[in-house]
Amino acid sequence: MQKRLYNKEPLNKLLVGNKPMFMSSNSYLNRIKRKYKNKKAGFSGTLDPFANGCLIIAFGQYSKLFKYMAKTPKSYRAVVWLGAQSESLDTENMISIEDEKKIDLTLIKNEIENLVGTHEYYPPKFSAKKIDGKRAYDLAREGIEFEMKKSSMTITNTKFISYNHPFITFESTVTEGSYIRSLAQILLEKLNSKGTLSYLRRLNEGKFFYENEKDLNPLDYIDLERNKYSGTKEWLFDGKKISIDYLERKDDGKYLIVFDDFFSIIEIENNEVTYLLNKVTL
């Protein structure tokens, strides 16, 4: 008898994976699905194949919670390789490697510190950005011509780690949608040098850090205020329409209602209560 690869039983599970370099986020997700023997899973915050590190993965009902979770800001550790040139601004599509002059350490530290702020930039063509429904890096690898739209990113914190010529290592905390390869190019321009990234690791997404794929309680990560419901519990469980009179907080907004065995997410608007998610089991 052929061994069953996936279980049929539903699985609600939230974890942080550690995606390796040179693997797509989708390929890594498939690996995790096989490991936990369940097909119904998704991830949040695509990592480009070159990058590694923190990737939030949820099975079952928990995959519907991504939009309500505290996933920002994000922090990365990056290594810039001075003198290396690449089409993709990393080591995947190298063009040349040349000697680059040494840079004054104080200048490097100052310019890394000066990265804090908002920058306009063009995302790399070899990136997970979607162009007409396709990943930009797939179009770039096929040699298809296309234009990237200008974007902006805000850097809230930076940290110099080391300089061992020709490698500069630093960390940065950024807003959603930022590209560290583009940030590295901004740094290189300030240093009047050329280079590319030789390493990129996502350290965290908001509250999410990699800790050996330990089980996470989604209630610890949902970024919504709680509301108290004094009505019949079964009405929420069954998704029946409820009156605002049974809620402690009546202001417009999205709220979390928690019981011992399940929780619901509701929205109040103009004294009307609607379900965004109901009966998410714990």
Side-chain angles (χ1 to χ4, degrees), residues 4-52:
R4 182 185 292 171
L5 187 59
Y6 297 100
N7 294 327
K8 291 184 178 181
E9 295 77 16
L11 174 68
N12 283 353
K13 188 180 185 69
L14 178 66
L15 60 91
V16 175
N18 183 26
K19 189 191 85 67
M21 293 178 71
F22 305 120
M23 175 182 285
S24 72
S25 295
N26 278 316
S27 295
Y28 180 65
L29 176 64
N30 288 332
R31 176 190 288 186
I32 295 295
K33 286 179 179 178
R34 290 192 296 270
K35 180 176 180 177
Y36 292 99
K37 298 182 178 180
N38 201 287
K39 286 184 177 181
K40 294 184 178 180
F43 64 84
S44 177
T46 303
L47 274 174
D48 293 329
F50 164 75
N52 70 87

Side-chain angles (χ1 to χ4, degrees), residues 94-142:
M94 297 294 291
I95 299 171
S96 64
I97 301 172
E98 300 175 0
D99 289 335
E100 188 75 6
K101 65 182 185 299
K102 287 187 177 182
I103 304 173
D104 179 73
L105 179 59
T106 301
L107 176 62
I108 292 174
K109 289 181 177 180
N110 287 341
E111 292 302 344
I112 288 175
E113 185 176 331
N114 290 337
L115 288 174
V116 173
T118 300
H119 304 271
E120 287 196 334
Y121 72 104
Y122 287 99
K125 287 193 171 183
F126 285 84
S127 69
K129 285 274 190 182
K130 283 195 173 181
I131 308 294
D132 296 328
K134 292 187 176 181
R135 297 292 183 189
Y137 54 66
D138 288 331
L139 297 175
R141 286 176 183 138
E142 293 171 15

Side-chain angles (χ1 to χ4, degrees), residues 173-213:
T173 302
V174 303
T175 53
E176 189 89 27
S178 300
Y179 277 89
I180 308 302
R181 282 175 290 160
S182 296
L183 182 63
Q185 293 302 312
I186 293 171
L187 174 62
L188 286 161
E189 186 175 344
K190 290 175 178 290
L191 297 173
N192 194 27
S193 296
K194 294 181 179 179
T196 192
L197 280 192
S198 62
Y199 179 82
L200 179 62
R201 178 172 183 79
R202 184 155 66 197
L203 304 174
N204 71 284
E205 291 190 74
K207 293 182 177 181
F208 293 89
F209 292 80
Y210 173 67
E211 297 178 271
N212 296 317
E213 297 178 17

